[in-house]
Amino acid sequence: AKYRGQLEPLVAVVKDKAPHVQGWIGETAAAWHSGQMNTTNTFISGMWYLGALGEAANMNQKALCRQTLIGGYYELLNKTTMDPNPDYYTAVLWKRLMGTKMLNITIDFPKGHNNLLMYASCSAQSEKWSPGAVTVAFVNLDEYSDVLIPNFNIEGSSKNIIEGSRIQYMLNTPNDVFWRVSPRMVLNLETNILKLTEDGQLPDMTGQTVPASQEILFYGHSYGFLVYPDVQAPACLQS
């Protein structure tokens, strides 16, 4: 909410004075002055980063330029090992899963649970799903695990969100490290630590397919993506 509050006045000025100009957000990070060791280069940074990507996209900003690829403590690649930091994998998944057309999403929160940020878009083009699919990015700011029955609505969905399947990309940290300072990230399974292959390629980042009606377990202080390949949202079928 704070990040959005900072951006809204600037977006309003550009829209009023130069409506033809494409909005970009440049040189942004979770902390200034080269970032903060064990914070902006670890898993916790993704809670800000994914939220910032979602808020910027919702305000029709066409790019969010991350500070930096290499350098400082907010770098996406470790300057010593060249291994990706957690935010790098978050950026890869955003690019692969989220499209450029954002959708309104409404959430019926269980009582006492309103610390879940969610951003919906038409899914990026992929051979894994047909046009009309919808992707939801989420950030769970709550310290404790939160089970949410999938009773949220996405703008223009022609099918109920709980029909068909759901592809989950649940991002968390290994259990053997304190989550706030973890330089490592796991995808869906505790044993699936994201790291480069021996020949320097990105690891397999395939999602986990489950019935869409299955309850979603949002672990405390976690984030990730949910793809609904069977929604057939009319807004996502338009050329």
Side-chain angles (χ1 to χ4, degrees):
K2 183 178 180 181
Y3 189 75
R4 183 178 182 87
Q6 293 171 335
L7 288 178
E8 282 180 333
L10 301 176
V11 172
V13 169
V14 173
K15 185 176 181 180
D16 179 55
K17 303 299 182 182
H20 60 286
V21 172
Q22 188 180 88
W24 283 37
I25 301 173
E27 195 174 337
T28 185
W32 72 293
H33 198 51
S34 295
Q36 178 65 50
M37 181 64 172
N38 293 330
T39 301
T40 52
N41 57 352
T42 61
F43 181 81
I44 189 177
S45 177
M47 300 184 71
W48 164 83
Y49 188 36
L50 188 51
L53 287 167
E55 295 292 350
N58 271 347
M59 287 185 281
N60 201 33
Q61 301 303 288
K62 301 305 181 183
L64 187 147
C65 303
R66 172 61 183 261
Q67 182 79 357
T68 61
L69 181 62
I70 300 175
Y73 294 122
Y74 39 36
E75 59 190 3
L76 293 175
L77 299 177
N78 184 298
K79 67 176 72 65
T80 302
T81 66
M82 297 304 292
D83 290 330
N85 285 325
D87 281 353
Y88 185 92
Y89 293 113
T90 301
V92 169
L93 286 173
W94 176 279
K95 186 68 175 178
R96 290 181 180 180
L97 305 177
M98 298 288 286
T100 57
K101 187 169 187 176
M102 301 301 289
L103 305 170
N104 292 326
I105 181 170
T106 55
I107 313 165
D108 184 14
F109 285 109
K111 185 177 181 181
H113 295 283
N114 61 353
N115 289 323
L116 191 67
L117 306 179
M118 303 186 86
Y119 307 94
S121 77
C122 300
S123 298
Q125 291 185 354
S126 173
E127 296 179 352
K128 297 179 181 180
W129 45 77
S130 302
V134 168
T135 299
V136 176
F138 74 87
V139 181
N140 185 8
L141 301 175
D142 200 301
E143 183 179 356
Y144 305 101
S145 298
D146 182 7
V147 177
L148 173 68
I149 297 174
N151 55 349
F152 51 85
N153 298 307
I154 296 175
E155 171 191 3
S157 298
S158 59
K159 293 184 179 180
N160 193 306
I161 199 67
I162 64 172
E163 294 180 2
S165 61
R166 179 177 75 239
I167 308 173
Q168 301 184 158
Y169 300 78
M170 315 298 271
L171 299 170
N172 215 315
T173 57
N175 286 334
D176 61 343
V177 294
F178 185 50
W179 73 269
R180 289 182 183 272
V181 297
S182 174
R184 294 182 292 170
M185 172 186 281
V186 299
L187 174 62
N188 290 325
L189 301 173
E190 168 64 23
T191 56
N192 188 24
I193 298 177
L194 296 179
K195 58 182 179 180
L196 297 179
T197 62
E198 291 185 358
D199 59 353
Q201 301 300 307
L202 287 174
D204 178 25
M205 299 173 72
T206 302
Q208 177 187 29
T209 301
V210 299
S213 58
Q214 179 177 305
E215 290 185 339
I216 310 170
L217 176 58
F218 296 104
Y219 287 102
H221 288 154
S222 70
Y223 45 91
F225 301 86
L226 310 170
V227 178
Y228 292 88
D230 308 309
V231 170
Q232 294 291 294
C236 302
L237 295 171
Q238 301 170 2
S239 59

